[in-house]
Each structure stands twice: as structure tokens, then as C-alpha cells.
Amino acid sequence: GQNIDQPTEMTATEGAIVQINCTYQTSGFNGLFWYQQHAGEAPTFLSYNVLDGLEEKGRFSSFLSRSKGYSYLLLKELQMKDSASYLCAVDNDYKLSFGAGTTVTVRA
Amino acid sequence: GAGVSQSPSNKVTEKGKDVELRCDPISGHTALYWYRQSLGQGLEFLIYFQGNSAPDKSGLPSDRFSAERTGGSVSTLTIQRTQQEDSAVYLCASSLGTSRHNEQFFGPGTRLTVL
């Protein structure tokens, strides 16, 4: 089976940094995605990791350790618009297996 | 169109009725996926199409659920004899193919409520 765990909720202050952890145990692995989903909207792509290490893209960075089955998404210089759900998803050949999502609330 | 579109955006139906949900993928995307998102839970894979074929239907919860895709484009997810536990947001996604870094683009979803 597929097991993907991430925290349910996180709260942070505008301008701060937040790290969302994701651990996974899956039958296959072709990479790990992070998606952002605002309430009532479609998930949108943030990042993709297939090799170990850090991928940086502006204020967002994502890290992967395949041996540990672990990833994190780092959000820097938080803005109010970053309040959303962040979804960790493992690519199993073609279909994505998702965690339940982490709701991040940014406070002024 | 510019993105994946789904219709209707909201559907309220009575238990026992059949419903059809529609997905228009991004033009040129050969792969199409249906997911279900229940309250407080992660997205759950339902079915995957490559062209008009569905190599993986393993996520369909029961034989009341079926899907088809025609012309390598539009897909319809049909739920027969709906039950209250079918209430969820049904999301469709498409991608260029199934090569590595297979970014999936999601539609806005159809919120289904079964009374």
C-alpha cells in the first residue's frame, strides 16, 4: 500500500519561514511533487524532486532524501497569500499518491 | 482552452440517482486522471487514461463507478445509484504523457453532494 504522512496544520507569521515535512512509504517511486491548493481551487504545481538534494525556486525550496523516504517544502518570506493547503504526492509510474495535505495559515 | 475544465462545478443529487461529471483536458495532453478528494482526506486516485484506453481502473471504489474517454480528449465519470458516501470533490488532471517529471495539471473540480 501507499503511506504518505504530513502534518495537518501549521501556523506562521508573515515574513517568517515554515518547513512542511513529508514522509512516505510507497511501492514505487518516480519522483515527489509538491502542490499548493487554495480553498475551493485546483491544486497547482510547486516543485518536483527525483534526485536527492535541494531544489530551489524563488521563495520555495523542496528537499528529498530517497533513502529516508523523506521530503520537505520550505516556504520563505511568508506572505498572506501563501495561506493554503500544501500537498505532498509521490509519483508511482503515472498516478500520484497524495498525503492528506498540510493547511498553512499565515498571520499578520 | 488554457487549462483543464470540469463541469458542472457543483452537483447536488438525491441518493439513488445517476450523475455524470465531465472533464476537458488541456489540448494535446494524452494522459488523463480522475481523483476524488473527501473532506479532510488526501486526493484518492480513481482511474487513468492514456489516449482512450484505461490501463488502470484500480482506484474505482465500486462497480457503480465508470469512466470513458472519447477522441483522446473529453472524459466522463459516471456514478450510478449514488450513495451519500460518494459526496466529495472529483478532480480531473491531464498531462503530456507518462514520462518522468509527469506534471499533472488539475481542473477546478466538481463538488458532488448526495442527499
Side-chain angles (χ1 to χ4, degrees):
Chain A
Q2 320 299 330
N3 193 26
I4 300 169
D5 290 318
Q6 49 182 131
T8 305
E9 295 180 335
M10 301 183 77
T11 301
T13 306
E14 196 174 15
I17 298 173
V18 70
Q19 177 174 315
I20 306 169
N21 296 323
C22 172
T23 57
Y24 63 90
Q25 288 178 304
T26 57
S27 56
F29 184 84
N30 277 344
L32 187 143
F33 287 85
W34 284 95
Y35 280 84
Q36 180 190 59
Q37 186 178 26
H38 286 98
E41 298 182 11
T44 56
F45 170 80
L46 286 179
S47 70
Y48 172 77
N49 294 70
V50 66
L51 300 176
D52 289 352
L54 188 68
E55 294 281 342
E56 297 187 84
K57 191 187 286 188
R59 294 189 298 113
F60 294 171
S61 303
S62 57
F63 172 83
L64 175 68
S65 169
R66 288 171 297 171
S67 62
K68 295 182 179 178
Y70 168 69
S71 174
Y72 69 72
L73 179 70
L74 194 69
L75 286 63
K76 305 175 196 173
E77 301 168 18
L78 280 172
Q79 302 175 9
M80 299 300 288
K81 67 178 181 179
D82 297 330
S83 291
S85 183
Y86 292 85
L87 313 178
C88 173
V90 171
D91 187 340
N92 287 294
D93 287 327
Y94 45 82
K95 61 188 176 188
L96 297 180
S97 296
F98 283 85
T102 299
T103 300
V104 172
T105 302
V106 180
R107 295 189 169 157
Chain B
V4 178
S5 60
Q6 293 185 244
S7 62
S9 55
N10 280 285
K11 176 71 177 178
V12 179
T13 190
E14 294 180 347
K15 178 181 173 181
K17 301 282 190 181
D18 298 352
V19 295
E20 281 190 356
L21 312 180
R22 177 188 167 106
C23 172
D24 282 271
I26 293 173
S27 178
H29 280 194
T30 60
L32 186 147
Y33 314 79
W34 284 97
Y35 294 88
R36 179 168 71 172
Q37 189 172 32
S38 302
L39 192 63
Q41 297 184 22
L43 275 74
E44 172 191 12
F45 168 80
L46 297 178
I47 187 170
Y48 150 67
F49 286 92
Q50 182 61 37
N52 292 335
S53 301
D56 188 349
K57 306 179 183 180
S58 63
L60 295 178
S62 74
D63 58 9
R64 296 186 295 104
F65 288 73
S66 63
E68 64 175 13
R69 187 179 187 196
T70 55
S73 181
V74 171
S75 177
T76 303
L77 177 69
T78 301
I79 308 173
Q80 295 178 307
R81 306 180 301 282
T82 52
Q83 303 294 313
Q84 288 183 332
E85 60 262 28
D86 300 334
S87 296
V89 176
Y90 289 82
L91 288 161
C92 174
S94 70
S95 68
L96 278 171
T98 56
S99 60
R100 297 177 76 83
H101 195 168
N102 179 31
E103 180 184 343
Q104 295 181 21
F105 295 82
F106 284 83
T110 294
R111 181 175 297 278
L112 175 66
T113 303
V114 182
L115 301 177

